[in-house]
Amino acid sequence: MRKGIHPEYVPCKVTCVTSGKEIEVMSVKPELRIDISSFCHPFYTGSDKVVDTAGRVEKFKQRYNLK
């Protein structure tokens, strides 16, 4: 690696603004604020719900009365 051209790698405090949880990782920035993380995302928390029971094609056909 060439010296003097790479950014400094520092500990970074990542804060999820939705859940308020904080984790520490390594990054080139000392602090990051994110909107969603694995602490609050429905996929990771297990609270996701299936809203779409019919597929897109079936909804389209139903909307325009197609067979």
Side-chain angles (χ1 to χ4, degrees):
M1 289 185 6
R2 291 177 44 193
K3 295 185 189 256
I5 64 167
H6 301 286
E8 185 179 344
Y9 204 54
V10 296
C12 172
K13 183 177 79 169
V14 180
T15 306
C16 177
V17 295
T18 306
S19 66
K21 303 253 183 171
E22 296 179 354
I23 59 172
E24 190 165 318
V25 296
M26 297 295 287
S27 178
V28 295
K29 294 186 176 186
E31 185 177 339
L32 290 173
R33 295 177 61 82
I34 57 176
D35 293 330
I36 195 158
S37 67
S38 60
F39 297 116
C40 59
H41 193 279
F43 179 79
Y44 295 104
T45 59
S47 64
D48 58 338
K49 296 178 180 152
V50 178
V51 176
D52 186 15
T53 56
R56 289 183 178 183
V57 175
E58 289 81 15
K59 283 185 174 182
F60 178 82
K61 287 180 179 181
Q62 183 182 18
R63 182 179 297 142
Y64 296 106
N65 294 324
L66 300 175
K67 293 184 180 184

